[in-house]
Amino acid sequence: MQNRTSGNTQGIDISRYQGNIDWAKVKASGITFVFIKATEGRTYVDPNFEKNVASALAAGMMVGTYHFFRGTTAEIAKAEAAHYASTLNKVGGAKALQLPPVMDYENNPGNLSKAQMNTVAKAFLTELQRLTGVKPIIYTGNSFAGNFDASLGTYDLWIARYSNSRVPDDQPAWKRWTFWQYTDSGKVNGITGNVDMNEFEGTAAQLRARYAAATPNPTNPTNPTEPSNPTNPGNPENPNPPKEPPKGGEPMTAEEKAAFDTLKAQVDRLQARQQMEVPVWAKAAVDAALAYDTKNPLFSIDNGASYDFYRFITVMHRRGLFKK
């Protein structure tokens, strides 16, 4: 596939693990687009999804979303698409955003054949497009992309390959990438810790133009650079207008708000530890455990699980307990 070039526009992708983000600083650092985690499986919703979307739009970012795919049958794939589409409706729907929705398909928990993987992928993509009216993008890894057949090449590719020197490999479905996730240890002003870094195969103007027809801005169709405001109570497109603040209370002082934000961040970190996505170091163990009996899975992690659970599963996997 093609190399990165100096004129390509830069972006990030994030989930709740990035915590509280200063989006104005992110935008000022030269980041023009972001993909925000929305959902996973059939029930999980990232707890920071709506807040991240609203704040990124308010900062003037081009915003897209992604769904971590776990489907093992066409029926489950369609249910996941419905869950994702329903969650997108909370921010005005896929057409309220500047970038298309994304199917993040990067592992094979059901130990499916390549043919089965393509069947479930197509079921999800077709159903998601039917529900949202927007053609999705496929995100996957450099090695995992080899599982997809040529028929999926009609979808734009967002590929992960962490390297400054090696380009992603040509694949049966793709010879070019549209987005390249080139590191998972980027540093961006406004974000504490590491963040995934991405590049689009063109300028910011070209990115905006590429998807403008697919995802028109319903609140300002003549100027797609202006973000929509999903929290505007006067916008009939918004299904969840904000509630009025309680009457009779005094506003917090700056000191009180700082203390409140610190406490909230601590609570969020504790909650994330109890209900977290599959860590990279536990993926192989989780996949092996789920593949042990696909008809009667040993457990379900649609809503995430605790750190201790993933550590336990990893220890069991290392002891060979999930081998048939």
Side-chain angles (χ1 to χ4, degrees), residues 92-210:
K95 290 185 177 181
L97 305 176
Q98 293 82 9
L99 303 178
V102 177
M103 176 184 71
D104 176 350
Y105 196 175
E106 58 182 277
N107 60 15
N108 185 12
N111 198 26
L112 305 181
S113 67
K114 286 187 179 181
Q116 291 171 324
M117 291 172 65
N118 282 270
T119 295
V120 297
K122 291 170 189 175
F124 177 88
L125 293 163
T126 301
E127 182 69 0
L128 182 62
Q129 185 170 351
R130 184 186 73 82
L131 293 171
T132 64
V134 180
K135 187 173 184 177
I137 294 170
I138 296 175
Y139 167 92
T140 193
N142 182 68
S143 298
F144 202 78
N147 291 303
F148 301 123
D149 63 37
S151 66
L152 291 176
T154 61
Y155 295 91
D156 285 351
L157 172 67
W158 173 16
I159 193 164
R161 183 165 204 176
Y162 302 152
S163 175
N164 288 322
S165 57
R166 294 184 299 163
V167 301
D169 297 326
D170 285 353
Q171 304 295 342
W174 300 280
K175 305 305 177 195
R176 292 183 64 86
W177 49 267
T178 304
F179 297 91
W180 179 357
Q181 185 186 79
Y182 56 87
T183 182
D184 62 350
S185 55
K187 301 292 184 182
V188 173
N189 194 23
I191 297 178
T192 302
N194 294 338
V195 65
D196 296 338
M197 301 296 298
N198 300 276
E199 186 165 303
F200 170 70
E201 61 164 349
T203 65
Q206 289 171 326
L207 173 58
R208 188 175 296 113
R210 183 183 188 102

